[in-house]
Amino acid sequence: MIDFFLVFFIGTIGVTLAVIGCFLGVVRNIRSTGEAERIQRLEKEVEALKESERSEM
């Protein structure tokens, strides 16, 4: 009986950690996607500024 509770308790902790890990992975993936879009937008703005400086010359 003690073995059952020990295995059940350890298994519950393992599943809980796995769920937390998946959740953090999804959140981090969503955040990195937002950062990639922001970087692309900034790169476009830099290119636009370079083009405007060239046209002024």
Side-chain angles (χ1 to χ4, degrees):
M1 193 72 171
I2 293 175
D3 291 338
F4 171 76
F5 285 118
L6 187 62
V7 170
F8 181 77
F9 184 70
I10 292 173
T12 303
I13 291 174
V15 170
T16 303
L17 290 176
V19 169
I20 291 172
C22 288
F23 178 73
L24 291 176
V26 168
V27 168
R28 189 171 191 162
N29 189 19
I30 291 171
R31 187 176 295 165
S32 67
T33 302
E35 289 175 1
E37 291 174 359
R38 197 176 317 137
I39 290 171
Q40 288 176 351
R41 221 177 318 127
L42 287 173
E43 287 175 347
K44 288 179 184 177
E45 289 179 12
V46 168
E47 288 297 321
L49 286 172
K50 286 180 182 178
E51 288 295 323
S52 67
E53 286 179 1
R54 289 180 192 152
S55 64
E56 288 176 0
M57 294 177 133

